[in-house]
Amino acid sequence: MPVPPLGTTATVVRGDGARLDTAVTAVVNHLDLVDRACSRFREDSELVALNRSEGRTTAVSPLLWEAVGVALRVKRIVKVMSLVNSSPDFT
């Protein structure tokens, strides 16, 4: 069953079809929490509020904290991968 989260789509599939409505509701609710925490397009999101804090100490939810941590880890991995891929020793 398609679900429209974060400006894209997601599909919820259950092998036996049991409790599909419950699974869809859980996915929609979780993605709504992610959107409220992490959207840079929602004026009421935590991320927008954090950006407005301009370096002041600001409390954030565990969800936003985790998302920022994942984003920073991915950034480091991509940087390392680009260095490895551009090195003549690794081609």
Side-chain angles (χ1 to χ4, degrees), residues 12-76:
V12 178
V13 178
R14 295 247 340 158
D16 60 6
R19 298 189 205 132
L20 181 60
D21 291 341
T22 302
V24 168
T25 298
V27 169
V28 168
N29 289 343
H30 183 72
L31 291 174
D32 183 59
L33 291 173
V34 171
D35 194 47
R36 289 174 187 275
C38 304
S39 176
R40 60 189 177 115
F41 303 108
R42 289 177 63 136
E43 289 298 313
D44 62 341
S45 78
E46 277 191 87
L47 182 61
V48 168
L50 181 61
N51 287 334
R52 284 190 185 132
S53 72
E54 299 178 342
R56 293 184 304 274
T57 300
T58 305
V60 298
S61 69
L63 181 58
L64 181 58
W65 182 260
E66 181 181 5
V68 170
V70 168
L72 291 173
R73 283 191 299 277
V74 168
K75 179 183 175 186
R76 285 191 298 273

